[in-house]
Structure formats: structure tokens, C-alpha cells
Amino acid sequence: MPEAATVQGIVLRRRDSGESDRRLTLLTVELGRIDVVAKGARKPTSRFAGVSEPLCIGRYTYAVGKANQFLTQASPSASFRGIRADYDRLNCALCLCELYAGVVPAGDPLGAEAYPLLVQALQALQDHPRPLVALVWAEMQLLEWSGFSPSLEVAVDSDEPLPRGVSWVSPQAGGFVSPPGAIEYPDRFRAPYEVLTGLARVAECEEPPPNLKLHEECLVALFPFWRNIVEGPLLANESMLVELRHRLSQSQV
């Protein structure tokens, strides 16, 4: 491994470290996902304060130490100001970046293929009139890219087509399961026909559709799949899940 490297990347997440440092997870063009330490980034006068914020895109130069990689230079090029100015869009973007941080393999150049997909998704979250619809599309694209795309219209255990009404779904099984087979999967849950077919249709789109029926229910149905895939906490997504369930319960009153 070289002693120093410069990469084009986007900040997926930041974590406090020590008295004033930040640990950054970057998705890069050259190396996929990497972690670097930005020394003193939490100080108001630090040159790394702005470039260590989530969603910041730029050129990052880091040096390789014995246990960590340390940021030495950074030059921002974009930051999605339209997302930052809107609570719902920012919440969606942070949830999506959290999923990328959990799915893209660390230090694997193949992970670089996810970089343009994320940039396209963030641009959609910034511009789309319905950010939650854009988020559903972005999550389905990430599932497809990572090889975890679920079977939503054909039962994984019997090849029977999805019936109208409410069906069983299991992330562990990989999607929709027949009623007899569902008993084998403790993570099974029920989802309506409109949600599963909506997700399947969105997965085939090259860009977010203008609208999506039951898009909030779609996001709720996707979360168990991410919980099954990602080995680690998904705090931003869990918080959004609580908010979505609250909205849905209020709409049914």
C-alpha cells in the first residue's frame, strides 16, 4: 500500500474521535469505501471542518499510518446545497449514505462502481419534487448493484406469481414467499400487493418516477431487508422508520 494517496470522494458519514478529531467514511472513485481520520476537524478554525461534512464531494489526500489513514489535504468541489436546505431531503440523503457505508466493501476497487450511482441518487434527492419517491428508487438501485435485489413478484420458494392482496415477505429468504413456506422464516412480515409491485417497477426505472403510490409504505417494507444485509446499526434509517410509521398511523386516524 502506498504511503500517501489522493482520491475523488464523497463523505458518507462522520464520527467524533478524541477531543477534536473526526473519523470519515468516504466513497471514492478509485478505492470504493475507505476510512480516514481528519485531525482537529471539529475545531471551528480547522481547514477540514467543511470538507468533513456528510455529502461533501472533493479531492482528499491521506497518509497511511500504522493503524489509521490520516487526512492531509482536502479540496471540496460540491456539497448539494439544495439537500442541506431542506430537512426531508437531508434526512433522505443521510439515510442513503448510511446504507452505502454499510453495503459497499471497504478498500475494494469494485466498490468504486457505486460512486456514480450515489451521485445520481443524491442529485435526484435534490431535484425531485417528492424526495421520498427518489429515495425508494435510490434504495432499489443500491440493492440491485450490491446483488441483494429481492424477488418481489415471484415466490422464492415456489415460483408462484404474487397474488393480489397481502403476502408474506422474508428478507432472509430473499423476497416474497408462499404462505406454506413463510412459516420457516422468523423474519417474515406482511406487505400488500401494491407495495411489492411498486418496488419491482421502480427497480426497473433508470431514474426516479414522478410519483409512486404508497411510497412511505415502500420504504417501511425495505428497511427489514437493509437490517438483514448490513452488519451494524442503521441509526438514521431507524429514526426515519419511526417517523414514517408515525405518519402512517396518523393518516389512518
Side-chain angles (χ1 to χ4, degrees):
M1 180 177 292
E3 295 182 357
T6 299
V7 293
Q8 173 76 18
I10 180 169
V11 180
L12 297 179
R13 65 184 177 190
R14 71 176 197 196
R15 289 149 291 169
D16 291 346
S17 177
E19 295 184 359
S20 60
D21 302 341
R22 283 176 176 167
R23 290 183 175 271
L24 310 180
T25 298
L26 307 176
L27 179 61
T28 73
V29 172
E30 297 84 0
L31 300 172
R33 176 171 64 88
I34 64 172
D35 293 308
V36 298
V37 176
K39 300 287 289 183
R42 284 154 52 204
K43 296 179 179 179
T45 57
S46 173
R47 59 197 172 105
F48 296 141
V51 294
S52 61
E53 294 288 344
L55 310 183
C56 183
I57 295 179
R59 299 288 293 174
Y60 294 86
T61 300
Y62 62 90
V64 179
K66 291 183 179 180
N68 295 294
Q69 300 175 141
F70 295 93
L71 196 63
T72 57
Q73 296 182 40
S75 176
S77 59
S79 61
F80 295 101
R81 293 184 180 180
I83 291 179
R84 297 178 186 278
D86 183 284
Y87 171 79
D88 287 336
R89 296 180 192 279
L90 179 60
N91 195 21
C92 289
L94 294 178
C95 286
L96 184 61
C97 286
E98 184 177 68
L99 296 178
Y100 270 78
V103 170
V104 177
D108 186 344
L110 292 177
E113 298 173 1
Y115 182 91
L117 185 63
L118 176 58
V119 172
Q120 181 188 8
L122 292 175
Q123 194 65 52
L125 287 174
Q126 179 169 259
D127 299 336
H128 199 285
R130 297 176 179 269
L132 289 178
V133 173
L135 180 59
V136 173
W137 173 82
E139 290 193 16
M140 293 304 296
Q141 296 300 307
L142 179 57
L143 283 170
E144 177 68 27
W145 175 85
S146 59
F148 291 107
S149 184
S151 177
L152 300 173
E153 295 184 295
V154 177
V156 295
D157 61 330
S158 66
D159 290 334
E160 66 182 70
L162 179 70
R164 291 191 175 271
V166 180
S167 298
W168 287 109
V169 180
S170 165
Q172 183 180 349
F176 154 55
V177 291
S178 66
I183 193 66
E184 299 181 14
Y185 300 99
D187 68 341
R188 66 189 182 277
F189 64 93
R190 303 275 274 173
Y193 173 86
E194 293 81 3
V195 167
L196 299 182
T197 55
L199 289 171
R201 300 293 183 272
V202 168
E204 298 173 354
C205 297
E206 294 184 358
E207 59 184 27
N211 203 356
L212 174 63
K213 186 179 180 181
L214 302 179
H215 55 270
E216 293 179 331
E217 289 88 341
C218 286
L219 286 170
V220 172
L222 283 174
F223 180 76
F225 286 93
W226 294 118
R227 187 165 47 196
N228 182 65
I229 294 167
V230 177
E231 298 178 356
L234 293 170
L235 301 182
N237 283 271
E238 289 169 1
S239 178
M240 173 174 278
L241 180 66
V242 171
E243 185 174 337
L244 289 173
R245 284 176 171 166
H246 177 70
R247 290 186 195 178
L248 292 171
S249 65
Q250 290 296 105
S251 66
Q252 295 170 0
V253 174

